[in-house]
């Protein structure tokens, strides 16, 4: 399993690099949680752009006892007022969130991997990174999500 503090550091550095590349001046809050319920509680009163995600577990097979894979989910979200629906303001917000997600994905794909920030693992490029739009998730947040796999290095 990827050590939790190494994963937190990875996400922090990934988001900060993507924010710089996307030329976003807004503050970005990062929230990682073990369960969806915990994430809802952590996001309850957050305003502005939030990068939220899970803390990956591990899939371990007998044939690869010394290596595991963890499914990761990162979301670029913002709680938008109801009166934003279908307006230019909504699409401007989506555009900013999309640009941040594009940079996160670009960094994930072009990084020398998780290993450049943490010598304990790397992104599994044999599997696709999947980006999807999110609407009214975790109590009214909209944006995008990306799922990918991390594999730890043999111990």
């Amino acid at each position: 399993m990827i050590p939790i503090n190494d994963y937190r550091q990875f996400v922090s550095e990934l988001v900060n690099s993507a924010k710089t590349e996307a030329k976003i001046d807004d503050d970005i809050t990062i929230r990682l949680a073990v369960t969806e319920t915990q994430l809802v509680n952590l996001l309850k009163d957050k305003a502005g752009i939030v990068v939220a995600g899970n803390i990956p577990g591990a899939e371990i097979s007998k044939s690869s006892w010394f290596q595991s894979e963890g499914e990761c989910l990162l979301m670029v979200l913002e709680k938008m007022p109801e009166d934003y629906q279908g307006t230019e303001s909504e699409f401007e917000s989506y555009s900013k969130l999309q640009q941040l997600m594009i940079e996160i994905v670009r960094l994930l794909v072009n990084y020398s991997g998780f290993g450049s920030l943490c010598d304990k693992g790397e992104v599994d490029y044999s599997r696709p990174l999947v980006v999807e739009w999110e609407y009214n998730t975790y109590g009214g947040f909209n944006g995008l999500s990306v799922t990918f796999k991390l594999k730890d290095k043999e111990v």
Side-chain angles (χ1 to χ4, degrees):
M1 292 178 70
I2 301 293
I4 188 171
N5 287 329
D6 291 328
Y7 182 70
R8 288 175 56 225
Q9 182 67 31
F10 165 69
V11 171
S12 177
E13 292 187 27
L14 177 68
V15 169
N16 287 332
S17 295
K19 177 183 170 182
T20 300
E21 292 296 319
K23 296 177 177 66
I24 294 175
D25 294 327
D26 304 33
D27 288 334
I28 297 175
T29 302
I30 299 172
R31 292 289 180 259
L32 300 174
V34 175
T35 66
E36 187 172 322
T37 302
Q38 181 187 22
L39 194 53
V40 169
N41 288 335
L42 290 172
L43 295 177
K44 194 181 318 184
D45 298 320
K46 294 294 171 224
I49 298 174
V50 179
V51 173
N54 72 326
I55 297 170
E59 294 176 24
I60 303 167
S61 66
K62 188 174 181 179
S63 63
S64 62
W65 175 250
F66 294 107
Q67 189 172 43
S68 67
E69 293 181 348
E71 180 85 26
C72 299
L73 168 69
L74 290 177
M75 295 172 284
V76 174
L77 303 169
E78 187 172 24
K79 192 174 261 189
M80 295 181 201
E82 294 256 340
D83 61 349
Y84 266 33
Q85 273 192 327
T87 66
E88 276 306 306
S89 297
E90 180 183 34
F91 288 102
E92 287 173 22
S93 292
Y94 281 144
S95 178
K96 185 187 298 185
L97 298 175
Q98 185 180 37
Q99 191 57 44
L100 182 60
M101 180 57 78
I102 287 168
E103 294 304 331
I104 286 172
V105 169
R106 184 174 295 150
L107 288 166
L108 283 171
V109 171
N110 293 327
Y111 254 4
S112 49
F114 181 73
S116 68
L117 300 173
C118 170
D119 63 1
K120 306 279 191 256
E122 59 192 23
V123 176
D124 181 355
Y125 296 112
S126 69
R127 302 186 182 190
L129 280 70
V130 179
V131 177
E132 297 179 319
W133 287 96
E134 301 290 335
Y135 177 77
N136 201 27
T137 189
Y138 302 123
F141 286 86
N142 301 337
L144 299 108
S145 64
V146 61
T147 55
F148 57 97
K149 291 261 189 179
L150 281 182
K151 58 184 179 181
D152 63 2
K153 293 185 178 176
E154 291 184 24
V155 287

